[in-house]
Amino acid sequence: MRTKLRAALVTAAAALGLVATSVVPAQAATGFDRCPQGKFCVFDGADGQGAMASYSTPQRDFGSWRFKASSVINRTGYEWLCMYSRTNYEYLDSARDVTAGGRGSHGTDLSDFTYGSSHLDNNLGSARWAHTSRECQGGTESLDWSTPFGPGSGPARAFGDLNRDGTPDLLHRSQQGRLWFLRGDSSGSLIGGGWNSMTALTRHGDLTGDGNEDLLARDTAGNLYMYPGNGKGWFGTRLLVGGGWNTMSAIQAAGDLNGDGRGDLLARDTAGQLWMYPGNGKGWFGTRQLIGGGWNVMKAFAGPGDLNGDGKNDLVVSDSTGKLWLYPGNGRGWFGTRVMIGTGGWGAFDTLLGIGDYDGDGRPDLLASGVVVSIYRGLGGARLAAGETVNYVESSDRLF
C-alpha cells in the first residue's frame, strides 16, 4: 500500500512540475545538416565535415576559402549551383572550367566535379546560383532558337512567324515569369515580365484580321485576354475576351478551322468536352460549337496548320499512352476520322507546337518540348520525319 501511495504522490508532483523529469538533449547537427536553410555552404572536409562557411549571396572571390573547400551544399532554393575554379565567375570554356550542379539541398563533394582540366576540389574560386544552366555559363535566361534558313527568305507564314520575316519564331516564358521573343536567327528580345500570372498561353493565327499573328493568355482569375501582334515580334494593348475560362483544362489556337478566313480557338473543359470557338476577326469569338467528349485522355494539343496537305487546318494531339494523333480538319469547324501518326514516346513531351515551316520546304513542321526541344519535319500526307534535337530546356522553361 505504501509503495502504491508513494508512486501516486510522485506522479502527482510531476504533473504539478514539482519533480524534475529527465529531458533527452537535442542532437547537434552534423555534416551537411549544419548548413542553414537559404544558404550556400562550403566545408574543408569531404561529406560536409570539418570547418564550414555559409553564404547568402553569390561569391565572386572566396578569399581565405579559395584553396580550402572540399564539399558544398546548396540550400538557396535555386535549382542550379554554378561553381568556377576562377574568381569573378570566369572560365576557359563551359566544358572544362565551369560546372553547373548541386541541385536541390543535397551535399556534394567537389572531387565529384572533375571535367577535363577542371579541379574544383580545394580550388573553388567563385560561385553563384541560377535558375538555368544557361545562366551558369554567362548567358541570358532566354532560350537559344534558330532555323536552318535565315530571315527574309520568303513571305510571312500563316503559323509561327511573329515578325513577318518568313522565319518561324518562338515565345519563351522563363522561370522568373519574363516573356521572350525568340527570332529564327538566334537573336531574341524581352517582351516583358509578370507572365507567371498566366495559367495558359496559346498562339497561331490572325485573330484581328490585320495579317499579324496574335497571342491569347488566361490569368489566374480565369480571364482570357487577346494580345494583338504588331508584326514586329511583340504585342499591343490587350483586349479582354471574357471571364470564366478556368473551367477549361486546355486552350489551343488552331488557325482558321471553319473556312471563313478568321482564326479560331479550341478549348477542352474539365469534363473532357472539346469546344470550337469561331473567331469573328475582331479579336474575340462567336457562339461555341461542341466537337465531342472524352478528350480528358489527351495530354498535349497543337494546331499545326495544314499537316496532311488537303488545304484545311488540322489538329495534332498526344494521348496518355504516348501515341500521337492527327485529327484532319474538315473546313467546317470540326474534324474527320483521326489517324495515328506516332507510336509511343510522345508522353515525354509536355508541349506540342505547330512551329510553321521550320525547314523552308513548304510543309508545316511540329515542335515538341520536354527535357529536350525536338523538331519533327512534315513530310506531307500527315507524315512526320524522325525527331531532331535542337535544344535542351530546364523544367521551368515554357515555349509557345
Side-chain angles (χ1 to χ4, degrees):
M1 177 67 73
R2 290 180 181 178
T3 301
K4 292 181 179 179
L5 179 61
R6 188 180 299 112
L9 291 174
V10 171
T11 301
L16 294 173
L18 301 177
V19 176
T21 57
S22 61
V23 177
V24 178
Q27 295 294 319
T30 60
F32 289 119
D33 291 336
R34 294 181 289 159
C35 184
Q37 288 295 329
K39 301 284 189 177
F40 163 62
C41 297
V42 296
F43 308 84
D44 65 3
D47 298 320
Q49 303 301 315
M52 180 187 81
S54 64
Y55 306 94
S56 57
T57 58
Q59 297 298 300
R60 286 186 171 275
D61 189 336
F62 276 102
S64 61
W65 273 85
R66 178 73 174 79
F67 301 107
K68 291 179 63 176
S70 286
S71 57
V72 301
I73 188 170
N74 174 26
R75 285 186 167 168
T76 63
Y78 282 75
E79 189 171 8
W80 285 95
L81 173 62
C82 320
M83 296 180 288
Y84 311 82
S85 63
R86 296 183 171 189
T87 60
N88 297 311
Y89 320 128
E90 294 179 356
Y91 57 93
L92 291 173
D93 62 65
S94 59
R96 293 186 298 152
D97 208 49
V98 59
T99 183
R103 290 188 183 211
S105 59
H106 60 276
T108 305
D109 285 349
L110 290 179
S111 59
D112 292 339
F113 293 105
T114 304
Y115 304 109
S117 62
S118 178
H119 48 284
L120 293 176
D121 191 12
N122 294 308
N123 192 34
L124 187 61
S126 53
R128 59 184 175 184
W129 23 101
H131 292 294
T132 69
S133 59
R134 298 185 297 274
E135 294 173 79
C136 281
Q137 297 174 11
T140 67
E141 65 181 3
S142 63
L143 197 69
D144 180 64
W145 167 250
S146 61
T147 57
F149 57 93
S153 60
R157 289 167 168 79
F159 282 178
D161 187 7
L162 283 167
N163 62 353
R164 301 174 64 85
D165 67 353
T167 303
D169 311 304
L170 284 180
L171 295 176
H172 168 220
R173 185 176 64 186
S174 70
Q175 192 275 344
Q176 293 91 329
R178 287 187 277 267
L179 190 66
W180 295 84
F181 166 54
L182 307 181
R183 299 175 182 85
D185 61 356
S186 296
S187 63
S189 57
L190 178 64
I191 292 175
W195 287 83
N196 274 346
S197 63
M198 297 300 176
T199 58
L201 291 95
T202 183
R203 53 177 270 250
H204 287 326
D206 174 19
L207 299 174
T208 60
D210 62 358
N212 299 320
E213 189 168 86
D214 305 310
L215 174 68
L216 290 165
R218 179 187 64 194
D219 66 16
T220 52
N223 296 310
L224 185 67
Y225 293 94
M226 190 278 296
Y227 291 79
N230 62 3
K232 300 177 182 178
W234 58 97
F235 305 95
T237 303
R238 70 182 186 180
L239 169 71
L240 176 63
V241 175
W245 287 81
N246 274 344
T247 60
M248 297 300 174
S249 58
I251 299 174
Q252 178 62 58
D256 179 17
L257 294 174
N258 59 6
D260 65 358
R262 300 162 182 163
D264 305 315
L265 180 67
L266 295 169
R268 180 187 63 194
D269 63 25
T270 52
Q273 299 181 109
L274 187 67
W275 300 88
M276 195 279 286
Y277 290 78
N280 62 5
K282 301 176 183 178
W284 61 97
F285 305 96
T287 303
R288 69 182 185 177
Q289 169 186 319
L290 178 63
I291 291 177
W295 287 79
N296 273 342
V297 299
M298 300 304 180
K299 181 178 180 180
F301 293 71
D306 178 18
L307 193 63
N308 63 2
D310 66 356
K312 298 158 187 162
N313 286 334
D314 306 314
L315 175 67
V316 170
V317 187
S318 63
D319 67 18
S320 55
T321 68
K323 295 183 178 69
L324 188 70
W325 300 91
L326 170 74
Y327 287 80
N330 64 3
R332 297 189 297 275
W334 59 97
F335 304 96
T337 303
R338 70 180 187 176
V339 179
M340 188 170 64
I341 59 174
T343 58
W346 288 88
F349 298 115
D350 301 316
T351 301
L352 300 177
L353 286 177
I355 194 56
D357 186 8
Y358 171 78
D359 55 8
D361 66 354
R363 294 186 289 258
D365 305 306
L366 186 69
L367 180 146
S369 175
V371 176
V372 300
V373 180
S374 296
I375 294 292
Y376 291 80
R377 300 174 191 249
L379 300 176
R383 294 175 301 124
L384 297 172
E388 306 167 37
T389 297
V390 295
N391 216 320
Y392 294 85
V393 293
E394 309 289 348
S395 60
S396 57
D397 290 322
R398 292 293 181 269
L399 298 176
F400 306 97

